[in-house]
Amino acid sequence: MQQATPLPATTLPKLPKAPTGIDGLDEITEGGLPLGRPTLVCGSAGCGKTLMAIEFLVRGIEHYGEPGVFMTFEETADELAANVASLGFDLKQLQTDKKLRVDHVHVDRSEIEEAGEYDLDGLFIRLGYAIDSIGAKRVVLDTIEALFSGFPNEAVLRSEIRRLFRWLKDKGVTTVITAERGEGTLTRQGLEEYVSDCVILLDNRVIDQITTRRLRIVKYRGSTHGTNEYPYLISEDGISVLPVTSLKLEHKVSNEIISSGVPGLDEMFMRKGWYRGSSILLTGTAGTAKTTLAASFAAETCRRGERCLYFAFEESPAQLMRNMLSVGIDLKPYVEQGLLYIEASRPTLNGLERHLVTLHKTIGEYRPQAVVIDPISNLVAVGSLSEVRSMLTRMIDFLKISGVTALFTALISGRHGQLELTEEGVSSLVDTWISVRDLEGVGERNRGLSILKARGMSHSNQVREFLVTEHGIQLLDVIIGPEGIITGAGRLTQRIQEEAQRVVKQHEADRRDRELERKRRVLEATIANLRTEFETVEEELRHISHEESTREAALRDGRSALATGLTSDYLTAQPNARP
């Protein structure tokens, strides 16, 4: 049986899109708005519909060279130009350069006299002329409710809406149409969302007196898109959408090790520090020197000639620098050199998303190698635990993608020893978790430090006592007593006892040395006496030997003389004998 040969895979053309140039929006729309098709932007009052539409036009002109037409039914051209001038948009100059055309169409039901069937033919002629006059590629209609106020007949209204959207498609311009939200529907007419190719819903909600704006792509024909709610902000630079929740875990990692700024702490890691680009969580109760440890890391970063961004939620820059100077950490020179930038504000000053956008913007402008946020637990006052966790997740992901080393401090409850953000909500997000806590003894309070986790490297499992001195953080050597690790006064007592034992042992050793010296001297004296006695005996023996030798010599001489004398007498008695 002949096997079927698989057909080669064909690549289908993707839907052409027009990039908006709005920060983050092109990411969640996967390229921009549908090219040559209408997009509906709807929402309640104050959510930024007009601003998003005008920024779509301005960015198209500045970044992509596409002229645009802004047809407004509520504001005049002068009012619109004045409203967006604070964002850096010079609409009058763009109109002078023939890149933008702003057309104000006044529609007032009370001023309309019915003289036949009302339709949009006049609008088509006017809009078509505006498009052709500058070769526009982008069009904005703001807002559509004002346009349809002249239609008392709902059937005619629906027909004209469909005809308007079809006319825009036939014209081939990428259109943004703004609309007000209705009761139970996305728009007041309840029809625009069905005939639009893309629908973007803007929402402005207030939770616990904190305003949060969110954006959602309701539908996008012919294209995949982000389906979550994404927070966005309106700042002096326009609209910023934060689609960080859709990011994948595909960031690059570094094997470079950098110092924590505390030599003793570095020694607790196998590789003498932590990885560049990692995230570090420093938790502890109040007064356990979390800020001092964070400032030590910031100062060490600046000593390497790298930039550090410090977000302080509890202290002003002047107070932080003064307090750190008392422990030997001088931050002021680094601030003056531009290596350290301290952003200080109360968390309740802005919402969570505002803080996140500030972080994005400041990192983009300052380009730091390290970021310190002290403390993240104060963010609980701004939002719920789930919202804070979501914000921190996006923040940590963004910092990792940017290759920035991040150090977070967090306050834990002394009563339960739990993070205010919940340990499950924070500790699992970071790469390294360091705990500082009180080591309470009898009538005293000491500080201890331990490493709870460090992804990618082994580390010490000891609880190290540390001191905050005039020269910064100093980790003390571990002293083991009968009942375990000794800290504080117990450490001093142990040292005193060890010193006393050392003195006793030294005295005992000195006594033994003296006893040995005495014995040595006695022995030497005994040896000297024995040597003297030996020499006396030796001398006596030598004298006796000498006397005996002398006596024997005398006897020999006597015998020899005697023998010689006898021979002479014999020869005299024998005269005839020959000699």
Side-chain angles (χ1 to χ4, degrees):
M1 181 177 179
Q2 186 178 3
Q3 294 181 352
T5 304
L7 297 176
T10 57
T11 303
L12 297 177
K14 294 184 178 180
L15 181 71
K17 297 184 179 182
T20 64
I22 299 175
D23 290 341
L25 183 58
D26 290 337
E27 184 176 344
I28 60 176
T29 57
E30 300 185 5
L33 304 183
L35 183 66
R37 300 185 181 186
T39 295
L40 179 67
V41 177
C42 53
S44 56
C47 61
K49 301 184 297 296
T50 301
L51 178 59
M52 177 172 286
I54 196 65
E55 188 169 355
F56 167 72
L57 290 183
V58 174
R59 302 303 182 198
I61 295 171
E62 295 177 346
H63 299 166
Y64 309 106
E66 296 183 356
V69 172
F70 192 97
M71 182 164 284
T72 172
F73 303 101
E74 294 181 342
E75 299 175 280
T76 65
D78 292 337
E79 291 173 344
L80 186 65
N83 292 342
V84 300
S86 60
L87 303 177
F89 300 156
D90 191 351
L91 300 189
K92 292 185 177 180
Q93 183 61 43
L94 294 176
Q95 293 180 77
T96 303
D97 297 337
K98 304 297 183 182
K99 297 179 180 179
L100 174 68
R101 187 179 180 93
V102 179
D103 191 1
H104 174 233
V105 178
H106 179 68
V107 178
D108 191 344
R109 177 63 181 166
S110 62
E111 299 177 0
I112 297 177
E113 294 182 2
E114 295 187 11
E117 187 176 350
Y118 182 72
D119 57 34
L120 297 178
D121 289 339
L123 176 68
F124 296 159
I125 296 173
R126 188 167 180 172
L127 184 57
Y129 173 77
I131 295 173
D132 296 337
S133 63
I134 60 173
K137 301 294 182 182
R138 303 187 178 202
V139 172
V140 170
L141 301 180
D142 181 48
T143 65
I144 199 171
E145 282 78 18
L147 178 64
F148 294 137
S149 62
F151 288 95
N153 190 321
E154 184 175 350
V156 175
L157 170 62
R158 291 179 173 271
S159 174
E160 289 301 300
I161 289 178
R162 291 191 180 92
R163 195 159 72 99
L164 172 62
F165 279 67
R166 173 51 55 189
W167 184 87
L168 292 170
K169 284 186 178 181
D170 294 340
K171 198 66 176 178
V173 292
T174 305
T175 308
V176 170
I177 300 174
T178 65
E180 296 178 2
R181 193 167 185 176
E183 294 292 338
T185 58
L186 296 180
T187 61
R188 289 187 178 181
Q189 308 302 330
L191 179 64
E192 299 93 318
E193 57 264 37
Y194 295 102
V195 296
S196 300
D197 288 80
C198 178
V199 177
I200 300 176
L201 175 63
L202 305 182
D203 180 39
N204 186 17
R205 66 189 69 169
V206 179
I207 302 176
D208 294 332
Q209 301 180 0
I210 302 295
T211 300
T212 302
R213 294 184 172 93
R214 298 188 182 274
L215 176 149
R216 181 167 65 93
I217 308 296
V218 178
K219 79 171 185 178
Y220 199 137
R221 288 174 180 163
S223 174
T224 58
H225 56 87
T227 57
N228 296 333
E229 279 192 331
Y230 301 98
Y232 68 95
L233 288 178
I234 301 175
S235 65
E236 62 274 9
D237 297 321
I239 291 180
S240 298
V241 186
L242 307 176
V244 188
T245 50
S246 64
L247 295 175
K248 299 180 181 179
L249 296 176
E250 299 175 346
H251 54 271
K252 297 180 180 179
V253 297
S254 172
N255 290 323
E256 181 183 355
I257 298 296
I258 60 177
S259 172
S260 65
V262 180
L265 178 57
D266 292 340
E267 294 296 327
M268 296 181 69
F269 293 94
M270 179 193 67
R271 300 193 61 183
K272 313 305 179 186
W274 48 58
Y275 290 111
R276 180 182 293 277
S278 62
S279 54
I280 302 94
L281 176 64
L282 184 62
T283 63
T285 54
T288 50
K290 299 184 298 298
T291 299
T292 304
L293 287 166
S296 299
F297 171 67
E300 179 64 24
T301 301
C302 297
R303 272 193 292 269
R304 294 194 300 265
E306 300 175 356
R307 293 182 176 182
C308 180
L309 180 60
Y310 197 113
F311 286 90
F313 290 149
E314 292 183 337
E315 298 176 282
S316 67
Q319 183 181 2
L320 179 64
M321 289 187 287
R322 183 204 64 186
N323 294 347
M324 291 303 103
L325 187 60
S326 66
V327 294
I329 304 174
D330 192 0
L331 301 178
K332 186 176 181 180
Y334 303 127
V335 174
E336 294 174 348
Q337 296 170 19
L339 295 175
L340 178 63
Y341 181 78
I342 303 176
E343 177 75 19
S345 64
R346 288 292 183 187
T348 52
L349 178 64
N350 300 304
L352 292 175
E353 312 309 333
R354 181 71 180 184
H355 286 297
L356 188 56
V357 166
T358 302
L359 177 71
H360 278 239
K361 179 181 177 182
T362 310
I363 288 179
E365 295 175 352
Y366 193 65
R367 301 292 181 184
Q369 282 74 36
V371 169
V372 175
I373 301 181
D374 178 36
I376 59 173
S377 48
N378 283 22
L379 297 173
V380 175
V382 184
S384 64
L385 292 178
S386 61
E387 291 174 336
V388 174
R389 174 182 167 84
S390 174
M391 181 260 195
L392 292 175
T393 300
R394 287 178 278 138
M395 179 186 297
I396 292 173
D397 286 344
F398 172 72
L399 293 172
K400 285 188 175 182
I401 291 172
S402 304
V404 177
T405 308
L407 175 65
F408 309 101
T409 69
L411 180 69
I412 64 173
S413 172
R415 181 174 56 185
H416 299 101
Q418 300 291 321
L419 277 173
E420 291 189 12
L421 305 181
T422 73
E423 293 180 358
E424 296 78 12
V426 178
S427 61
S428 61
L429 301 176
V430 297
D431 301 307
T432 301
W433 184 7
I434 301 173
S435 173
V436 287
R437 62 181 185 270
D438 292 329
L439 303 176
E440 295 186 1
V442 179
E444 64 176 5
R445 172 178 170 269
N446 304 297
R447 298 182 177 97
L449 181 148
S450 61
I451 301 174
L452 301 184
K453 81 169 183 178
R455 289 173 178 163
M457 71 173 71
S458 60
H459 55 86
S460 171
N461 62 350
Q462 293 180 326
V463 178
R464 297 284 299 275
E465 183 183 2
F466 68 93
L467 300 176
V468 181
T469 69
E470 295 180 353
H471 305 288
I473 300 292
Q474 178 185 355
L475 268 69
L476 304 178
D477 295 333
V478 176
I479 296 181
I480 306 297
E483 299 179 356
I485 296 177
I486 301 176
T487 62
R491 174 191 293 271
L492 180 59
T493 303
Q494 180 73 11
R495 286 183 175 177
I496 293 174
Q497 292 176 353
E498 291 177 353
E499 181 65 20
Q501 293 176 0
R502 187 191 66 80
V503 171
V504 171
K505 290 180 180 179
Q506 184 64 40
H507 288 169
E508 182 65 22
D510 293 342
R511 187 190 63 78
R512 289 195 300 266
D513 290 342
R514 290 192 299 270
E515 183 68 22
L516 182 61
E517 180 65 20
R518 285 194 297 269
K519 289 183 178 181
R520 183 183 65 78
R521 292 176 181 177
V522 171
L523 182 59
E524 288 179 351
T526 303
I527 293 173
N529 293 334
L530 292 174
R531 183 177 290 111
T532 302
E533 184 179 352
F534 173 77
E535 290 175 353
T536 303
V537 173
E538 183 182 25
E539 185 177 356
E540 291 178 356
L541 291 176
R542 190 179 295 113
H543 180 67
I544 294 171
S545 297
H546 179 68
E547 289 180 349
E548 290 180 354
S549 298
T550 303
R551 187 181 302 110
E552 289 178 358
L555 290 175
R556 246 188 340 265
D557 293 343
R559 289 180 187 142
S560 176
L562 180 60
T564 303
L566 290 176
T567 301
S568 299
D569 291 341
Y570 178 78
L571 288 177
T572 303
Q574 300 291 331
N576 293 327
R578 293 181 182 180

